[in-house]
Structure formats: structure tokens, C-alpha cells
Amino acid sequence: MSSDSSRRIQVPEELKEVLLQFSIAYLVEQPPDVIDYAADYFNKLQANRPAPANQDQSQDDQQSINSQDGEEPPVMQNSRRKSVFAEAYDPEADDDDEGATAIFPKTDEQRSRLVESVKNVLLFRSLEKEQMNQVLDAMFERKVQPGDYIIRQGDDGDNFYVIESGIYKVYINDKHINTYNHTGLFGELALLYNMPRAATVQAETNGLLWAMDRQTFRRILLKSAFKKRKMYEELLNNVPMLKALQNYERMNLADALITKSCEAGERIIKQGDAADGMYFIEEGTVSVRMDQDDAEVEISQLGKGQYFGELALVTHRPRAASVYATGGHVRLAFLDTEAFERIMGFLTDVLKRNIVIYEQMFTEMARRNTNL
Ligand code: CMP
């Protein structure tokens, strides 16, 4: 072995960064062939390589218009990203939320329709009241007709859209992969991750959209939305049941989660209560217990990456057991009933399989108790 080979290999930061950016673009777009996609991705990356720092603005703008590359998710704030898109907006460097946010005046009637449309937008969940008002001010109406292309895959991201009405079909590489029916949002990915549009969105019917421009989106929503998706990524990727979801659906799930903390001994769910949602365990352990005569009997313990509270949501019955925090500090991610139904709807078959396991546990518990 040469002395060279015994040297420790350092992975350069730049390599890590480029590979991470590529992986995100690949995972979001899910192209059929990784090699073709990689060749195309790196060719575009090279073609759009930024010029040195003293490059003049007009050149920079031209490059942005032609740009189709998908690098630079917002985790990595560095100077190279700025030449990729025209406005060179850096949210980390912009502390002034009041700034130049656009305001589109609205009639009372328009505003109340808008409020109704954004009520269930999960991305808006963690916004403060003041930020929410900025969002409402900044949104503008767009009417669409059947056949209109709202977004074309590969384009640079301009707006983000919330649906008031209409049916919209989503295509990736001409393959139909998703349909929005009078509710939901789209167009956030390109703005969040600073990459080209991951899909084409076309109107099937007449419809009404509420749009927000890229800069306002990034100023108000980028940090909170990106942080949340990042925070829950690992947790959600490690829940076996959720493997059946597309990456994009897992991202939507992350938007919907609400972190809750409990101390040891605290009751999280009470047997017999009506269900309001389910929980994923981020940290710590919980004990599942059932009423038995005058006492509670533990039927299982659950830990990190496991979930509970889904049974009542699937069966539409009251809580079948109580759940307590045990083992130190417990951190949970809560998914409310409505978001559960919207995102996890088609997973209910997987969840129903668990009912068999629960039934076995209850039977076992009953058997143990009659033998006591
Ligand atoms: P964006 O990439 O900005 O533009 C196309 C939009 O389609 C995308 O953001 C998402 O909002 C939306 N979309 C819906 N379903 C998917 C999906 N399965 N994969 C990627 N984007 C999707």
C-alpha cells in the first residue's frame, strides 16, 4: 500500500453540496432513468455555471431566463445560487419582512373567498397572524379555462397557487400523476427548493386560482416551510407504513404535522374520547393501556418512528385505549383528522391491517386476565 492511499480521504464540501442538490432534484422529479437524468442535470449545471463575481446584471438576467437547472435548495446559502435566478433573492440575508411585499387590493367579497380558500392550506399553518395578513394582501386572482397550462415542467418558478375552484391535472414527463379537485395548492416546490418546475399543471375545467409571486412566497413562507419539511423528512422516511406514499405526498404530510411535547406520566390519549388525530413518535416512548375492571393494563410500548391514534380515525370509533408518555421527554408529531383523511386516505387499507394485530393484543390481554 502506498503512503498516499493511507491518507484519510476528505470529502470536499462542494462535492457534498452538488450531490445533495442533485439527489433532491432527482427525488422530486423521479425520472425513469437515473443515468440520463444525471447526464442532463450536470450538463445544464455546467452550461449555467455562473460567471465571476463582477459579471454585469444584464448578462445575469439573460442567464436566468435560459436557466433550466435545478440546483441549490435553500439549505445552502451561497453566492453561486444568486446567478441562477433573476431576482437573486437570499431569504437569510433579508430580515425585513415588511419590505416590498406586493399588495393587491380586494373587495370584501374577494377577501372572504380567499380566506375560505386558504383555510386548509397546510403550508400556512405555522404563520403568525401578521404574516398571514401579508399573505392575503399579496395574493391575486387568476381565472383559468379548460386546457390552460398553469405550470410547465422545467420552467423557472414564477408563482405559487392556491385553488379556489376547478380541476387540475398534474403530469410528470407527460405521465398523469395527480389530480386536484377544487382544493389544494401547487407550484411551491420550485420556489422552495430553487429548482425548475417538477411537473406540468393543466386546468381541466374553468377555475379560479389565487396566486402569489415568487419573491413574496420566499420572503414570507420559505424559511418556515423549508425548515418544517426538512425537520420531519427523516422521521417520515423511517415510518414503514409511509413508504407507500410518494415523496411529494410525504412532503405534504410534513407540512401538516404539529410538534407536541409531553413529560413522563402525561396522558396523551384517553380511552373512550372522540378522536381528533394521530401521532408519530419523534423521541421517547409511550405506553398503551386499556381499562380492565377498575385498573388499566398495559398492552404495548411504542418508541421512535412508531405511531398511534390511527385506529379511531380508520374505524370512526372512540379511542380504544389510553396512551401515556413514558421514558423521559416525549416528542410527538401530531396529524389532525382532516389532514389524515386528505393525505393518508388511501393508506387506510394498510392501517386496517393493524386492526388484526390490535385484536390479537386485546384477546391476549383478556386471556391473561382471566387466568390471573
Ligand atoms: P412546482 O415544481 O413548483 O410546479 C409543479 C407543481 O406540481 C409542483 O411544484 C407541485 O406543487 C405540484 N405537484 C403535484 N403533485 C406532484 C408530484 N407528485 N410531484 C411533484 N410535484 C407535484
Side-chain angles (χ1 to χ4, degrees), residues 146-271:
D148 281 0
Y149 284 95
I150 324 298
I151 285 177
R152 285 182 197 267
Q153 184 176 349
D155 280 359
D156 279 352
D158 48 3
N159 296 324
F160 150 76
Y161 300 93
V162 174
I163 298 169
E164 179 177 321
S165 63
I167 298 177
Y168 302 85
K169 287 200 161 178
V170 183
Y171 301 87
I172 294 184
N173 301 329
D174 297 326
K175 191 166 154 247
H176 175 224
I177 46 128
N178 205 351
T179 302
Y180 292 96
N181 262 306
H182 301 282
T183 180
L185 62 90
F186 57 83
E188 82 293 9
L189 283 183
L191 310 190
L192 267 182
Y193 298 100
N194 227 1
M195 55 184 231
R197 295 297 198 185
T200 293
V201 182
Q202 190 180 24
E204 266 292 274
T205 60
N206 284 317
L208 220 147
L209 296 169
W210 288 98
M212 181 194 285
D213 72 80
R214 167 192 177 81
Q215 202 150 15
T216 308
F217 177 92
R218 290 178 65 84
R219 178 173 296 122
I220 303 176
L221 288 160
L222 175 68
K223 283 187 230 167
S224 59
F226 188 83
K227 209 169 95 195
K228 203 161 173 197
R229 288 190 175 187
K230 195 88 201 122
M231 184 166 98
Y232 287 124
E233 192 176 87
E234 198 199 326
L235 174 80
L236 298 181
N237 285 344
N238 288 318
V239 176
M241 169 188 75
L242 300 179
K243 296 256 184 278
L245 292 174
Q246 292 174 9
N247 286 315
Y248 185 63
E249 287 163 327
R250 270 199 296 274
M251 290 178 182
N252 282 293
L253 187 54
D255 295 338
L257 295 175
I258 297 165
T259 296
K260 291 193 175 181
S261 293
C262 311
E263 293 310 319
E266 210 176 300
R267 185 172 59 203
I268 305 157
I269 281 180
K270 181 166 180 279
Q271 185 173 344

Side-chain angles (χ1 to χ4, degrees), residues 75-89:
V75 251
M76 277 114 9
Q77 304 298 335
N78 65 28
S79 56
R80 279 182 301 122
R81 191 233 262 108
K82 295 188 173 171
S83 59
V84 177
F85 284 92
E87 64 255 67
Y89 177 63

Side-chain angles (χ1 to χ4, degrees), residues 272-275 309-320 355 359 362:
D273 275 1
E310 83 294 5
L311 183 63
L313 302 184
V314 177
T315 58
H316 301 287
R317 297 225 301 262
R319 296 296 194 191
I355 296 177
E359 275 167 2
F362 300 155

